Amino acid sequence: MITLETVLIGGLLAAFLPCAAMGLSLLIGAPMSERRSQQSAHAQALVLFVVAAALIVAHFRGDGPRELRLAPLLEAHGYSWTPVFLLDRLSLAYVALVALVHQVVVRFSIPAFHRESGAQRYWFLVSLLALSLWLVSLAGNIDVLFVGWELVGVCSVSLIAFFRHNLRSTENSLRALVYYRCCDAAMLFAAVWIHHELPSSDFTQFANAAGSKAAAGIGALLVLSSLAKSAQLPMSPWLHRAMEGPATSSAIFYGALSVHLGPWLLLRTQPLWDEHLLPRAACGLIGLATAVYASLVGRTRPDAKTALAYAAMAQLGVIYVEIALGLETLALVHLWAHAGLRTWQFLRSSSLIQDFQANPLVGADVRLRARAGLWRALVGAQLERRIYLAAMRLFWLDALHWRTVARPTLALFGWVQRVEERVLGGAGRGSAE
Amino acid sequence: MVTRQTSLAEQWLAVCRPRLPLQNPLWAFVHNNILMHFEERPFLEAVREAAALYRARPFESEAFYRDELERGRIRRECLQAVLAARRATLGEVDVERFLAESSIGDALAPLEHLRLAPRLPRELAQRHQRRLEDLLVPLVAAYLDQGLAGWSTPLADGSLWDAFRESVATAPGWSFDWREQLVRRLASHDNAGRDLEALIEAEVRECALDADGAAYCLETLFVLKGWSGLVWRLESEPELAPVQAPAQLRLRDWLAVLLVTQHALDDALLEELGVARVRAMRQPAPIEATRSLARLALWQEAYERSFAGPFLEHLERGPRKPDASTPPRFQALVCMDDREESFRRALEAQSGGCETFGAVGFFGVDMRFERVGAALATCQCPPIIKPSRTLRETPLDGQGAALARLEQAGRAGATASLAAYYHSRSLLRGVAVSLGLGLASFVPLVFKTLLPGRIERWRSFVLRAAFPRPRTRIALEAQDGYSIEEQAGIVEAVLRTCGLTREFAPLVAVIAHGSTSSNNPFRQAYGCGACSGNSGAPNARAFAAMANSSEVRARLASRGFELPAQVLFVPCLHDTALDRIEMLDRHAWPTARKAELEQLEASLESAARANACERGVRFEQGPVYGLTRVSEADAAAIAQHVQDRGHDLAQPRPEYGHNRVAACIIGRRAITRGLFLDRRSFLVSYDPTQDPRGERLPAAVLGSAPVAVNIAMDYYFSRVDPEGFGAGSKLPLNVVSLLGVITGSKSDLRIGLARQMVELHEPLRILVLLEARAEHVTRLVDGHARLSRLVRGGWMQLGRIDPDTQAIELWNGEQFEPWRSALPEFAEPADAPSALDTILASADDRLAPALP
């Protein structure tokens, strides 16, 4: 008798093998051939696709939501890390999205990454991403989710720096890492708090714990921890920097699977904080602000990829608002549809010149947009100009973070380093004498 | 403006302008010698100057050449001969010593930078470049934007300088670290009441120290060379902009912006370092790319000789089949393009006989063309010619209704796609679009990725069924079209130049070519070079219509050019990526000759399939990679594979274009007929025996050789330094302003060709062989300024084939001499043809080396 557990665990293990093999071969400095890496990644994508299909079929056959609980992998001081997987409408919806988009992007990358130096690295990271997304979306408790969440971040950052010879890529990937880390810290804090205050860290128990005193605080922390992945204010500026990577990774991460993890996390944990004003207000206000901000900035971007990044950010803001308003189903459908749209747009972002060239409405003496729109009539030409100039510079949000957070932090650590050197250096000299 | 006669700044700009990269918007991409404006100088001098400006290596690396020597692609005896020829300057040097001592031949010292930034410590110099890009790239991209951004920029109404000032003025004090220095600099100019020209002079005088002002400005413009080139291009030819170039676009403004920002950034970094500008400028700053150029030039020469020798030997030995005794079943007039070499070979190899002629692919029809349903007229002639008139495609009688329906559908589709584009990027409409179209977009996403070729076929089938394309013709006789006299002139010139004046076959196929690719900003680079990168189909249709017209034939007859009545010219289109043949203007086929024409179609299609097999051995992910013999099943697989390639969004190499092109042979097909040339040569037909006074020679050469040099040099430079002269890898490219591509989110506008487009290319200066009398060639070269510069400056190697004896001679700088004495290492004819493996076999392809 094949049980759901064996399908899931067997499938995940089978998908883990190619990924592990690629990672190991890179680690020992004997990377697989390009062809072998492609085949491994492709095989993994197929396995995951089939497993996803099996899980969905089983779900619709009337098994309903299922929680699969394995033996704890780690137990220490009263804490246990237990792999728990939750199969319900929400997780399977995301798994289906992951399986589909991952499959498409893998197929797309086979010709695209042919003969690209570092292609093995790409294949490894994409297959690692797939596994981590499965962990995130099927996670039944916050502990499992956190592991997947971290790995998604690692893949994202490594792929922004894919073109290692380009300094801008490496610099930008570092920025993205910093934003990720800030929010990951919030998630870690939330996880600890959950373990501390709630009877269980399983998502199925969240609804019962909604009345707990800590629920509002934990909810707010969870909202905070979702911000970086989905580039919501104030953690937005890294997203356009992430456009240094190849178009395929922009599609899979920032068009589809990674950026939508923020709203997905909120949907997953919503039973816990649904009744509390603080997290809902935070979620709604942040979403609203981001939607306005990103659509203003995005409309000034004259390049294909960052324009798409901001367009995606704006829609994510709307999804946050929908979640805050309690429209879960709408949010889920919006998330799904939006991911499909952006993946498609990112993958064919190089077609724009061809598209406009083939368009019989585009030509000399044809302005693509009316010069003075409703917008100008509303705010006046002078103010429009000022808003345009500010939006063109991202409202200096990047600079604001640099001035108010990054530089003081760097200065602090510089000072700590100097102090440390003086203290330890002095001690070192002392012992030498 | 005329306050002073010509200000110093204006003089400097006059020096700078012609030196900038020839950066067309990608809509109007044409192959140019990237260094076309350096051509008045000899090759080595020119590339040295360019290397300094582009910060790019103009030759392959020492390691590359050593590898090629190792594997036999560069022959030792060629290198030895190159060294021996330099005995006067190098002394007695043999190959061993040349390899052991890397300073041998290194006669040219590296050039020095003039700017401050390269003198800073490496990390700071890089930061300098990035900060400059951070500030300026979004500004200039938004200023030039043609409609990619949803918010039409209000800045484009004013000048670039004003936009820059406003953008700095509205930025808050903390917006970027060096704003203070920038504002200080701008304020000092304001206080001194300087206009832009005075500002440029003051900036240069302050910071260039004793360097030449023009050279300093030029180096500054090259800091963002792609953008500088584009600004100048759109200023000088605003009609190149697909929609509209800003009315007040001036290179002068851009130079002022670059100077001020660069110097303000210098100030900031110098303050950080605590060094004065004058002291920092004392630091030497040699330009890495200009190191050991003279030595690399020796290597390059040996590399080129190692191609020329075996290639000429191959030609000399050639099959030289006598012209077929039976009259050919049909004749084909094909573009000179090197990609058609294999197609012509396949066509000629068929039983029944076919004779092919190479013409310049616009077939003498120098028009702009307005296609039904397109907004913009396309330029259908080589970029060196200005189109003389604009012709329209018009529906045949009774097709007006179908046309109206098609146009209506086209406009509706276009409105919908523009709406989807802009609305999907806005806020509330974006919600509607993503909810409405989002789930639907999974359909193309999945199917276009999995079955690119088939989906496209079904789609076009459905579209054609729903909106049948009306039968049309090209309105040649329209008011400012071609008169009968002019039409006769075009037909006669093309046919006489390629020697097709007698023994006509009943059918003459006029085969234009185009190329299908998707998701490709460089699509225009794959089209017909003689039609400015567009498909040559309208030209083939126009030419065939002219040649079939009875009035034109009567006029030709009165000029003494007899075109028999039964000769039918048949326009066709060869898609070089999909390897498909489309018979054009099928409605004009006489019913009586339908069977004959269908036979022609079948022949062409089978040649195209054979061509796909030959191309296929170089597609590593294809089904016949590296095979020497292709079975029937493989042939079917590769035919499907090339369909998929052309339509695949993911495919960065829909075809290999002009990769490996190295020669251009202008002469009778008899010289090359039956000879495997591995798609390495342009083939232009010219029959010197029918042109005893050499009157047609200029038409044959001037339309083809400069185009061949442009293509070869574009590939050459993009290949030798894919980052400096080329566009780098295609993967991180990002379309900007609908004009070009940048790398990632902010970078200089990329120039040249992407790495995947040139990865198989062998960077060689092109070898042009003319089958003509020496005096005609010399007269031609002396009489044409650009050709003379190209030949004498060493931008190409010129040779000739004697029309009577078929002896091959090479130009040695002063005169023609037999090739075996010009290349003494080949004095003894080799007996084994196997020596060709290194230049004409796919097994010996060499990929562009990977980046670290």
Side-chain angles (χ1 to χ4, degrees):
Chain A
M1 177 67 199
I2 301 173
T3 62
L4 215 50
E5 278 91 343
T6 42
V7 171
L8 177 64
I9 303 302
L12 284 184
L13 277 181
F16 175 73
L17 284 180
C19 177
M22 275 190 273
L24 212 63
S25 75
L26 281 170
L27 254 184
I28 59 171
M32 287 183 187
S33 71
E34 182 195 293
R35 207 184 174 78
R36 206 35 71 69
S37 328
Q38 279 167 11
Q39 285 167 342
S40 312
H42 197 187
Q44 187 215 25
L46 280 176
V47 168
L48 288 178
F49 192 78
V50 171
V51 175
L55 294 181
I56 290 164
V57 168
H59 181 75
F60 277 109
R61 273 208 176 153
D63 288 6
R66 284 277 303 271
E67 197 180 40
L68 306 181
R69 182 176 294 274
L70 307 182
L73 287 182
L74 177 82
E75 278 187 274
H77 306 288
Y79 168 79
S80 70
W81 195 90
T82 317
V84 180
F85 297 104
L86 180 58
L87 301 175
D88 63 355
R89 187 187 71 145
L90 187 59
S91 63
L92 288 177
Y94 211 79
V95 159
L97 183 66
V98 171
L100 194 58
V101 172
H102 176 236
Q103 172 80 359
V104 165
V105 166
V106 164
R107 291 294 281 261
F108 197 95
S109 305
I110 288 175
F113 275 82
H114 178 44
R115 291 180 178 160
E116 191 71 25
S117 63
Q120 287 92 346
R121 202 155 27 96
Y122 173 80
W123 288 116
F124 166 65
L125 289 169
V126 164
S127 54
L128 182 61
L129 170 77
L131 278 184
S132 8
L133 284 167
W134 273 69
L135 273 187
V136 174
S137 37
L138 290 181
N141 61 14
I142 191 87
D143 314 46
V144 176
L145 186 134
F146 184 73
V147 174
W149 190 269
E150 285 295 295
L151 284 175
V152 172
V154 168
C155 297
S156 158
V157 167
S158 312
L159 276 175
I160 297 173
F162 179 76
F163 297 102
R164 288 194 286 206
H165 59 275
N166 181 357
L167 273 173
R168 194 179 279 284
S169 303
T170 44
E171 192 183 79
N172 287 359
S173 78
L174 187 63
R175 294 273 187 125
L177 180 71
V178 172
Y179 283 102
Y180 280 159
R181 299 312 298 172
C182 292
C183 288
D184 290 353
M187 180 179 259
L188 190 61
F189 195 36
V192 172
W193 201 351
I194 286 171
H195 275 283
H196 196 76
E197 288 286 339
L198 306 187
S200 155
S201 68
D202 293 356
F203 295 137
T204 44
Q205 302 303 314
F206 274 15
N208 306 336
S212 148
K213 274 194 301 225
I218 295 172
L221 266 183
L222 286 171
V223 171
L224 176 61
S225 59
S226 75
L227 297 183
K229 281 271 187 309
S230 300
Q232 299 296 297
L233 285 177
M235 310 308 245
S236 306
W238 66 270
L239 189 61
H240 84 261
R241 293 172 175 271
M243 296 300 125
E244 295 299 330
T248 46
S249 76
S250 303
I252 193 171
F253 282 92
Y254 316 116
L257 301 180
S258 172
V259 283
H260 288 101
L261 281 181
W264 189 84
L265 174 74
L266 297 184
L267 288 174
R268 177 89 286 175
T269 57
Q270 203 187 19
L272 179 66
W273 48 266
D274 212 10
E275 294 159 12
H276 298 274
L277 182 65
L278 176 68
R280 281 183 79 149
C283 174
L285 290 176
I286 288 173
L288 188 63
T290 310
V292 173
Y293 166 81
S295 70
L296 280 178
V297 173
R299 270 191 263 182
T300 65
R301 307 304 302 172
D303 67 285
K305 281 173 71 183
T306 59
L308 275 176
Y310 279 99
M313 196 194 287
Q315 291 305 307
L316 281 159
V318 176
I319 298 178
Y320 267 67
V321 174
E322 289 162 1
I323 293 175
L325 295 178
L327 307 166
E328 294 111 64
T329 312
L330 177 65
L332 191 59
V333 172
H334 194 173
L335 182 159
W336 236 85
H338 181 242
L341 179 72
R342 296 298 174 214
T343 312
W344 177 236
Q345 287 182 329
F346 265 116
L347 287 182
R348 60 191 307 288
S349 64
S350 294
S351 306
L352 284 187
I353 290 182
Q354 262 172 303
D355 286 355
F356 278 85
Q357 223 168 357
N359 192 313
L361 296 180
V362 179
D365 312 324
V366 180
R367 291 226 54 105
L368 289 175
R369 292 133 299 143
R371 301 235 66 185
L374 177 68
W375 181 222
R376 185 176 297 182
L378 268 175
V379 299
Q382 205 49 43
L383 188 58
E384 185 215 2
R385 237 179 140 82
R386 288 194 75 92
I387 297 177
Y388 178 87
L389 284 164
M392 194 174 96
R393 298 293 180 194
L394 325 179
F395 293 93
W396 302 284
L397 188 63
D398 213 7
L400 190 69
H401 287 176
W402 173 245
R403 280 289 170 120
T404 56
V405 183
R407 266 221 322 224
T409 314
L410 286 176
L412 174 69
F413 281 101
W415 178 79
V416 170
Q417 187 189 2
R418 280 194 300 280
V419 169
E420 188 177 294
E421 269 167 13
R422 193 172 310 145
V423 175
L424 290 183
R429 263 202 309 281
S431 64
E433 283 161 13
Chain B
M1 280 298 286
V2 202
T3 44
R4 287 165 281 178
Q5 255 120 37
T6 14
S7 64
L8 205 46
E10 195 41 55
Q11 290 171 27
W12 292 338
L13 277 166
V15 176
C16 295
R17 282 182 189 124
R19 290 284 192 245
L20 294 174
L22 274 173
Q23 182 66 36
N24 273 7
L26 286 180
W27 293 45
F29 176 93
V30 285
H31 285 293
N32 272 318
N33 177 359
I34 298 183
L35 304 186
M36 191 183 272
H37 292 313
F38 294 75
E39 277 171 2
E40 78 270 15
R41 316 253 306 270
F43 186 74
L44 181 56
E45 276 181 36
V47 297
R48 185 161 175 249
E49 189 188 337
L53 287 172
Y54 284 82
R55 285 158 288 156
R57 185 162 35 77
F59 295 107
E60 270 294 353
S61 62
E62 174 95 17
F64 170 87
Y65 291 122
R66 279 177 188 263
D67 260 19
E68 294 296 84
L69 182 72
E70 186 79 11
R71 71 184 192 108
R73 172 61 185 80
I74 294 181
R75 293 158 166 250
R76 288 186 96 80
E77 60 270 26
C78 291
L79 183 54
Q80 186 61 59
V82 169
L83 295 173
R86 301 290 198 294
R87 200 171 288 134
T89 48
L90 297 180
E92 283 297 336
V93 177
D94 64 355
V95 173
E96 296 313 320
R97 228 187 103 202
F98 181 75
L99 291 177
E101 295 173 32
S102 59
S103 61
I104 289 178
D106 196 358
L108 296 173
L111 295 169
E112 283 273 319
H113 279 291
L114 304 173
R115 295 177 305 123
L116 172 82
R119 294 179 159 78
L120 296 171
R122 199 177 134 80
E123 199 268 326
L124 280 190
Q126 287 165 340
R127 202 191 317 161
H128 190 284
Q129 178 78 20
R130 288 207 301 285
R131 296 294 163 264
L132 205 64
E133 286 168 2
D134 283 345
L135 185 73
L136 295 184
V137 170
L139 180 75
V140 69
Y143 183 73
L144 295 177
D145 182 26
Q146 300 293 300
L148 200 151
W151 192 344
S152 161
T153 172
L155 301 176
D157 292 337
S159 73
L160 185 52
W161 174 255
D162 291 337
F164 166 72
R165 290 297 304 258
E166 203 177 337
S167 144
V168 174
T170 51
W174 40 265
S175 55
F176 52 102
D177 287 347
W178 46 287
R179 185 176 179 277
E180 186 194 329
Q181 283 85 355
L182 183 57
V183 169
R184 204 191 303 146
R185 215 161 246 283
L186 289 170
S188 80
H189 292 304
D190 288 345
N191 294 339
R194 295 191 182 111
D195 65 0
L196 265 189
E197 270 145 31
L199 179 147
I200 291 173
E201 283 164 32
E203 284 287 341
V204 172
R205 216 171 298 125
E206 181 197 334
C207 300
L209 304 184
D210 46 358
D212 172 40
Y216 187 82
C217 289
L218 189 57
E219 198 179 302
T220 304
L221 286 170
F222 265 81
V223 170
L224 291 174
K225 57 180 180 256
W227 289 112
S228 302
L230 184 66
V231 166
W232 166 234
R233 205 77 189 108
L234 289 181
E235 177 191 340
S236 60
E237 286 185 51
E239 67 275 11
L240 277 177
V243 177
Q244 196 175 49
Q248 298 185 38
L249 183 62
R250 297 285 177 275
L251 184 66
R252 185 195 57 188
D253 293 30
W254 178 238
L255 174 63
V257 169
L258 276 174
L259 283 169
V260 173
T261 45
Q262 165 181 277
H263 294 155
L265 197 48
D266 287 353
D267 294 343
L269 294 178
L270 288 171
E271 274 171 35
E272 202 173 302
L273 276 178
V275 185
R277 182 182 287 273
V278 181
R279 230 190 81 207
M281 287 290 274
R282 279 196 220 116
Q283 195 77 18
I287 302 171
E288 284 309 311
T290 58
R291 273 189 203 282
S292 61
L293 289 188
R295 178 179 162 98
L296 294 176
L298 297 178
W299 271 116
Q300 179 66 22
E301 200 183 325
Y303 185 43
E304 284 164 358
R305 284 169 87 131
S306 309
F307 168 77
F311 187 76
L312 293 176
E313 196 140 40
H314 185 50
L315 266 188
E316 198 175 65
R317 191 181 293 117
R320 294 283 157 81
K321 283 192 197 138
D323 288 339
S325 49
T326 52
R329 208 155 45 97
F330 60 87
Q331 288 159 325
L333 206 54
V334 190
C335 183
M336 61 180 262
D337 200 291
D338 50 315
R339 289 171 285 178
E340 300 290 25
E341 186 268 329
S342 51
F343 177 68
R344 288 170 68 179
R345 199 162 7 92
L347 204 52
E348 288 163 347
Q350 290 175 359
S351 62
C354 164
E355 198 180 358
T356 66
F357 296 86
V360 185
F362 73 116
F363 302 113
V365 189
D366 55 341
M367 59 176 177
R368 284 163 64 80
F369 179 64
E370 284 177 13
R371 200 172 60 84
V372 158
L376 288 174
T378 53
C379 186
Q380 295 291 140
C381 58
I384 38 177
I385 300 176
K386 270 254 176 288
S388 66
R389 61 210 74 204
T390 304
L391 295 189
R392 302 187 53 165
E393 188 179 19
T394 50
L396 291 181
D397 296 339
Q399 295 286 307
L403 176 71
R405 212 164 105 79
L406 180 76
E407 280 191 326
Q408 207 178 1
R411 270 197 304 273
T415 314
S417 74
L418 279 184
Y421 174 82
Y422 289 118
H423 292 175
S424 74
R425 284 156 175 81
S426 63
L427 182 56
L428 293 176
R429 282 163 296 169
V431 177
V433 173
S434 57
L435 284 173
L437 292 183
L439 293 177
S441 59
F442 279 99
V443 177
L445 181 64
V446 171
F447 288 101
K448 188 93 170 112
T449 314
L450 299 187
L451 305 166
R454 292 184 184 91
I455 281 295
E456 208 47 51
R457 200 155 61 226
W458 297 333
R459 198 182 73 105
S460 66
F461 177 78
V462 170
L463 279 182
R464 252 162 217 256
F467 306 100
R469 215 180 146 67
R471 293 199 290 274
T472 60
R473 62 194 183 81
I474 295 172
L476 292 173
E477 74 303 325
Q479 202 165 30
D480 29 75
Y482 294 98
S483 68
I484 296 298
E485 185 64 30
E486 285 168 321
Q487 296 184 24
I490 288 172
V491 173
E492 184 179 6
V494 169
L495 294 182
R496 274 202 195 280
T497 304
C498 66
L500 177 54
T501 55
R502 54 199 169 195
E503 288 160 6
F504 285 98
L507 292 179
V508 181
V510 183
I511 306 178
H513 67 100
S515 177
T516 301
S517 56
S518 37
N519 215 10
N520 183 5
F522 295 96
R523 180 180 59 168
Q524 297 284 109
Y526 291 103
C528 176
C531 302
S532 294
N534 298 301
S535 149
N539 299 62
R541 294 173 69 190
F543 182 84
M546 290 177 186
N548 286 335
S549 139
S550 51
E551 287 168 281
V552 171
R553 290 198 184 181
R555 192 64 57 96
L556 283 171
S558 73
R559 291 177 174 195
F561 188 97
E562 282 295 339
L563 256 176
Q566 83 278 10
V567 176
L568 182 65
F569 286 80
V570 191
C572 321
L573 177 70
H574 175 210
D575 191 312
T576 53
L578 308 182
D579 262 320
R580 278 174 74 158
I581 298 289
E582 187 186 346
M583 306 300 280
L584 304 166
D585 287 343
R586 222 177 246 272
H587 55 82
W589 286 6
T591 25
R593 305 185 66 176
K594 200 149 180 264
E596 211 184 332
L597 282 156
E598 274 164 0
Q599 267 185 357
L600 169 68
E601 184 177 10
S603 287
L604 294 175
E605 276 174 356
S606 109
R609 277 195 299 277
N611 193 39
C613 295
E614 183 169 337
R615 289 168 56 215
V617 298
R618 289 205 154 85
F619 294 143
E620 196 174 336
Q621 294 182 318
V624 301
Y625 177 66
L627 296 186
T628 47
R629 189 174 297 263
V630 177
S631 73
E632 201 59 37
D634 289 339
I638 187 73
Q640 182 59 50
H641 178 76
V642 292
Q643 305 298 315
D644 288 343
R645 258 186 124 80
H647 292 300
D648 194 348
L649 291 173
Q651 184 53 263
R653 309 161 179 85
E655 61 161 306
Y656 270 123
H658 300 279
N659 268 278
R660 293 166 56 76
V661 68
C664 174
I665 301 173
I666 303 172
R668 279 171 292 174
R669 176 63 172 150
I671 305 169
T672 48
R673 184 164 180 158
L675 206 57
F676 175 65
L677 291 179
D678 196 23
R679 299 158 63 89
R680 300 206 70 168
S681 179
F682 294 103
L683 296 175
V684 186
S685 290
Y686 163 71
D687 189 348
T689 59
Q690 294 185 37
D691 183 31
R693 278 175 303 187
E695 287 157 341
R696 300 258 164 219
L697 186 63
V701 176
L702 299 180
S704 58
V707 176
V709 171
N710 280 347
I711 292 175
M713 284 333 255
D714 206 358
Y715 273 73
Y716 175 101
F717 287 113
S718 303
R719 165 66 211 255
V720 292
D721 195 331
E723 293 299 325
F725 288 118
S729 168
K730 263 187 179 178
L731 295 188
L733 293 187
N734 181 5
V735 173
V736 67
S737 310
L738 288 181
L739 290 168
V741 284
I742 54 177
T743 296
S745 57
K746 282 175 203 138
S747 84
D748 189 8
L749 192 75
R750 301 310 299 258
I751 58 171
L753 305 175
R755 183 186 185 77
Q756 285 90 341
M757 300 168 74
V758 296
E759 67 183 6
L760 289 184
H761 190 61
E762 290 196 335
L764 301 168
R765 282 172 284 179
I766 197 160
L767 169 65
V768 180
L769 293 174
L770 310 182
E771 187 189 15
R773 295 185 197 293
E775 64 271 22
H776 294 160
V777 178
T778 329
R779 193 175 66 202
L780 174 66
V781 171
D782 289 340
H784 188 265
R786 180 162 182 227
L787 197 59
S788 169
R789 286 200 298 266
L790 293 176
V791 171
R792 292 177 205 285
W795 292 85
M796 64 185 231
Q797 169 69 264
L798 181 67
R800 87 180 183 92
I801 303 171
D802 194 88
D804 303 322
T805 63
Q806 306 283 299
I808 303 176
E809 297 181 336
L810 288 178
W811 178 263
N812 65 8
E814 286 147 24
Q815 60 187 33
F816 286 105
E817 67 172 303
W819 79 270
R820 286 189 192 275
S821 84
L823 306 177
E825 66 273 30
F826 296 98
E828 291 303 315
D831 22 71
S834 65
L836 275 177
D837 284 357
T838 51
I839 61 160
L840 295 184
S842 63
D844 282 296
D845 282 352
R846 154 129 195 169
L847 283 174
L851 283 167

